[in-house]
Amino acid sequence: MQKSLTMKQSHHISNTFIFLILLFFGCLLMAPFIWMISVGFDRTANVTMPFPPQLIPDNVSAFNYGIIFENGRVFKAYINSAIVTISSVSLSVSSAMLGGYAFSKGHFKAKKLLFLIVLATLMIPIEPRLIPLYKLLNTVGLLNTFWPLILPSLVSGFLLFLCKQFFDQLPDTLREAAQIDGAGEFKIFFTVYLPLAGPIAATMIILSFIWSWNDFLWPLVVLNDQELHTVPLFLASFSLENGTSLGGLTMALATVSILPIIIVYLFLQRYIIQSIALSGVKGE
């Protein structure tokens, strides 16, 4: 009995120690975001940035946020980003679902070779693809529109791989039973497998949403009209126009720009661990 209590106490102390270490590093990682929010509520930061950094400003004020929302450009940038992000997420998740199911449950020639080609695309960064993509889109006359930001998301090697790994964990007997009942492939996918793919769909939505909303380099290349600027481009242009002279406004705008990502993540976060556990990414 004494030994059992000692082991429980040792286990409790160990868990407490691990929790404190994780809490420390979590606070350390959150420090820049907390400072960003703090500066956004500091009206005097438009004159000079507070040093040393303060957790709570001396004069808490929503002045910076009022100025931001008085400017109609930020709403236009939000609308542009919303159009691009919703379209990109819809296309990328839908195509990854269909492609992942095909590579997982389908039987066709050169299946493994095609999947290796898809995986090979993960080794090519965006920079070498900028010029070919730009020339292609320029040829078809799609530059300075939202299409260059939406169409490339139609194929995502990483999302397709993630989705295939998830479907690999689902039993083939479900498909065989549906085939015995006379169901075709599309009916099997939409009525049998798709309802089970909620966790992986939520994870892909979060990932593709973050990629699309935060994308900066590619929109900078293909968008010249300020009326089409997304939130990252608007934030960059605002910073270039004002430098550090309006630090409070810049930080308030940065805080507002990441709010959609935080909201989407909070709604879908509970699916992430579940999807990773079921997708085979854990190294099995």
Side-chain angles (χ1 to χ4, degrees), residues 117-152:
I117 294 174
V118 171
L119 293 181
T121 62
L122 299 177
M123 296 183 288
I124 306 174
I126 183 62
E127 288 79 10
R129 291 181 284 166
L130 285 179
I131 295 177
L133 273 175
Y134 183 89
K135 292 180 69 176
L136 174 63
L137 294 166
N138 187 37
T139 302
V140 296
L142 292 180
L143 290 181
N144 210 33
T145 66
F146 290 142
W147 289 112
L149 308 182
I150 297 172
L151 292 178

Side-chain angles (χ1 to χ4, degrees), residues 4-267:
S4 177
L5 287 174
T6 304
M7 289 181 64
K8 287 183 179 179
Q9 289 174 350
S10 176
H11 185 67
H12 179 72
I13 293 172
S14 176
N15 286 342
T16 303
F17 181 69
I18 293 172
F19 172 77
L20 290 175
I21 292 176
L22 294 176
L23 180 64
F24 170 75
F25 283 105
C27 293
L28 197 63
L29 291 173
M30 287 296 296
F33 297 99
I34 296 172
W35 181 73
M36 177 181 68
I37 296 171
S38 174
V39 173
F41 281 102
D42 189 352
R43 182 170 181 173
T44 60
N46 293 321
V47 179
T48 177
M49 292 292 284
F51 186 84
Q54 297 175 312
L55 181 62
I56 301 176
D58 294 331
N59 298 312
V60 178
S61 172
F63 172 79
N64 294 326
Y65 291 94
I67 294 297
I68 286 173
F69 289 111
E70 282 181 1
N71 188 342
R73 288 178 60 193
V74 70
F75 289 107
K76 183 63 177 176
Y78 253 86
I79 294 171
N80 294 341
S81 284
I83 293 171
V84 171
T85 301
I86 293 173
S87 302
S88 298
V89 169
S90 301
L91 279 178
S92 60
V93 173
S94 300
S95 62
M97 282 285 191
L98 291 168
Y101 173 78
F103 277 113
S104 176
K105 306 301 181 185
H107 300 283
F108 50 90
K109 291 183 179 180
K111 171 182 170 181
K112 292 184 178 179
L113 177 61
L114 289 174
F115 188 63
L116 286 175
I117 294 174
V118 171
L119 293 181
T121 62
L122 299 177
M123 296 183 288
I124 306 174
I126 183 62
E127 288 79 10
R129 291 181 284 166
L130 285 179
I131 295 177
L133 273 175
Y134 183 89
K135 292 180 69 176
L136 174 63
L137 294 166
N138 187 37
T139 302
V140 296
L142 292 180
L143 290 181
N144 210 33
T145 66
F146 290 142
W147 289 112
L149 308 182
I150 297 172
L151 292 178
S153 62
L154 186 60
V155 180
S156 173
F158 179 75
L159 294 185
L160 197 150
F161 167 75
L162 199 65
C163 204
K164 177 191 177 299
Q165 294 298 98
F166 179 86
F167 283 123
D168 283 344
Q169 306 303 311
L170 300 180
D172 293 336
T173 52
L174 296 174
R175 179 171 176 267
E176 293 168 359
Q179 285 178 325
I180 292 174
D181 291 337
E185 288 297 340
F186 280 101
K187 187 174 182 180
I188 294 172
F189 171 74
F190 284 108
T191 61
V192 178
Y193 284 96
L194 187 60
L196 300 175
I200 195 64
T203 301
M204 291 193 297
I205 288 172
I206 292 173
L207 292 175
S208 57
F209 189 95
I210 292 173
W211 295 338
S212 180
W213 187 271
N214 287 339
D215 194 13
F216 174 75
L217 181 59
W218 181 236
L220 181 66
V221 172
V222 297
L223 297 180
N224 297 322
D225 189 355
Q226 284 193 352
E227 292 298 315
L228 298 177
H229 277 188
T230 56
V231 170
L233 291 182
F234 173 69
L235 178 58
S237 63
F238 183 87
S239 300
L240 287 174
E241 290 172 5
N242 301 284
T244 58
S245 61
L246 296 176
L249 281 172
T250 303
M251 290 299 182
L253 181 58
T255 303
V256 169
S257 69
I258 66 171
L259 281 179
I261 297 175
I262 295 174
I263 293 171
V264 170
Y265 178 78
L266 290 177
F267 273 104

